[in-house]
């Protein structure tokens, strides 16, 4: 939780981590005093986010059908969330056309983002996907300012974004694939970057325009609506024929199951 605070308190009064954040932000925000809860949330999210790229790389390598891997993930998460609602662990809103309609554009961009992510992992390496994903805030910060009326990034924010830009430039400069193929080596990951930036920006707009009870309702809207789109994309890409001739093995099944569990754990972070 972030809130205005008094900057005069000492580390012993606030706790070390909240005091450091308070000092770095000039007293404008403060981390919750429950340090263990904050650390657990940050570490768990970081572990899921970083692991997903690696596990998805393994999944799409052992089962080379990007759309169907994504479909498995969306189906699994939809079933789990609906079961949680059935047993009253969470509360979901019913599907309403007035809310489904504005979600369709976001869900389409979300599905394209998942697909291009899988394709970039299939044709490239994890490091490249991480770099492009980490650079998304560079574009989103300005898209928020232009289209959502957010405040223009302040000098401190611009400095942090510049560090990302320098890191990305350094990676591209020394990347052997880029040196030999140029931007063609980054075709799929560039498409992933564009769809990710659009999805992150438009997702905020949808969240403001279509208020839902909680994040779980947003999750089920996204996954249920995205499933038929993903299946249609897979058939368009000719993956149905590849699926008929594919022989499942233990490695492919294990990697897909791991990707299913990670996609579910990280779901509440989605718009």
């Amino acid at each position: 939780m972030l809130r205005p605070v008094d900057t005069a308190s000492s580390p012993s009064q606030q706790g070390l981590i909240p005091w450091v954040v308070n000092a770095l932000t000039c007293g404008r925000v403060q981390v919750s005093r429950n340090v263990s809860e904050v650390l657990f949330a940050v570490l768990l999210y970081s572990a899921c986010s970083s692991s997903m790229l690696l596990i998805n790389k393994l999944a799409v390598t052992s089962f080379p059908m990007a759309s169907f891997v994504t479909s498995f993930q969306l189906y699994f998460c939809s079933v789990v969330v609906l079961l949680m609602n059935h047993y009253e662990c969470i509360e979901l809103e019913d599907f309403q056309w007035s809310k489904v309609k504005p979600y369709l554009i976001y869900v389409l961009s979300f599905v394209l983002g998942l697909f291009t992510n899988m394709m970039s992992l299939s044709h490239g390496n994890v490091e490249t996907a991480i770099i492009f994903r980490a650079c998304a805030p560079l574009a989103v910060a300005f898209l928020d300012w232009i289209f959502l009326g957010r405040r223009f990034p302040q000098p401190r924010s611009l400095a942090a974004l510049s560090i990302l830009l320098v890191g990305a430039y350094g990676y591209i400069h020394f990347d052997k694939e880029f040196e030999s193929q140029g931007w063609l080596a980054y075709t799929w990951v560039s498409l992933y970057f564009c769809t990710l930036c659009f999805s992150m920006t438009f997702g905020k707009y949808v969240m403001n325009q279509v208020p839902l009870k909680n994040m779980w309702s947003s999750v089920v809207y996204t996954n249920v609506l995205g499933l038929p789109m993903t299946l249609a994309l897979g058939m368009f890409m000719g993956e149905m024929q590849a699926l008929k001739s594919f022989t499942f093995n233990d490695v492919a099944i294990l990697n897909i199951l791991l990707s299913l569990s990670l996609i579910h754990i990280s779901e509440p972070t989605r718009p």
Side-chain angles (χ1 to χ4, degrees):
M1 180 184 297
L2 301 178
R3 58 181 184 276
V5 297
D6 178 15
T7 59
S9 54
S10 65
S12 59
Q13 293 173 318
Q14 298 185 57
L16 180 59
I17 293 178
W19 181 83
V20 170
V21 174
N22 181 28
L24 291 176
T25 58
C26 302
R28 289 177 295 179
V29 295
Q30 183 189 33
V31 177
S32 169
R33 294 174 186 271
N34 191 343
V35 178
S36 60
E37 180 180 341
V38 172
L39 286 177
F40 177 76
V42 170
L43 291 174
L44 183 60
Y45 174 77
S46 299
C48 292
S49 181
S50 59
S51 299
M52 277 186 63
L53 285 174
L54 178 59
I55 296 300
N56 281 341
K57 171 69 174 179
L58 295 174
V60 80
T61 300
S62 58
F63 183 71
M65 284 158 264
S67 293
F68 287 148
V69 172
T70 303
S71 298
F72 293 151
Q73 295 175 341
L74 296 181
Y75 177 77
F76 177 78
C77 185
S78 299
V79 170
V80 171
V81 175
L82 291 173
L83 284 174
M84 292 172 65
N85 178 65
H86 177 74
Y87 289 102
E88 300 182 350
C89 299
I90 59 174
E91 182 180 3
L92 296 177
E93 293 188 28
D94 295 330
F95 282 88
Q96 303 173 31
W97 176 244
S98 61
K99 296 183 178 181
V100 168
K101 187 177 179 180
Y103 254 85
L104 289 176
I105 298 177
Y106 166 72
V107 172
L108 177 60
S109 68
F110 169 76
V111 168
L112 291 176
L114 288 178
F115 175 74
T116 52
N117 179 33
M118 291 292 187
M119 293 299 291
S120 65
L121 291 172
S122 178
H123 292 82
N125 53 54
V126 177
E127 294 88 348
T128 302
I130 290 175
I131 289 295
F132 275 76
R133 183 173 180 172
C135 287
L138 286 168
V140 173
F142 293 97
L143 291 174
D144 285 354
W145 170 61
I146 296 171
F147 295 105
L148 300 182
R150 303 289 178 89
R151 187 173 63 173
F152 187 81
Q154 298 301 297
R156 187 175 299 183
S157 300
L158 289 174
L161 293 173
S162 299
I163 295 174
L164 287 175
L165 184 61
V166 171
Y169 173 79
Y171 177 84
I172 293 173
H173 180 74
F174 292 104
D175 185 21
K176 295 299 182 182
E177 289 188 15
F178 182 78
E179 183 178 341
S180 61
Q181 303 179 43
W183 285 103
L184 287 176
Y186 293 160
T187 301
W188 280 112
V189 77
S190 296
L191 291 173
Y192 168 56
F193 175 81
C194 293
T195 55
L196 178 63
C197 292
F198 175 83
S199 180
M200 292 175 69
T201 305
F202 191 74
K204 297 174 187 176
Y205 171 79
V206 171
M207 288 289 290
N208 292 330
Q209 297 298 315
V210 188
L212 298 174
K213 289 182 180 179
N214 50 53
M215 292 299 295
W216 288 110
S217 296
S218 178
V219 168
V220 77
Y221 265 56
T222 303
N223 285 271
V224 171
L225 295 175
L227 183 57
M229 296 182 186
T230 310
L231 290 173
L233 183 60
M235 289 186 285
F236 175 77
M237 296 295 292
E239 292 184 3
M240 184 63 71
Q241 296 300 321
L243 183 62
K244 292 179 180 179
S245 60
F246 181 79
T247 302
F248 281 93
N249 53 56
D250 294 341
V251 174
I253 294 174
L254 177 61
N255 288 334
I256 291 175
L257 290 177
L258 285 174
S259 72
L260 298 183
S261 62
L262 286 174
I263 201 74
H264 172 60
I265 290 172
S266 61
E267 275 300 330
T269 65
R270 293 182 180 178

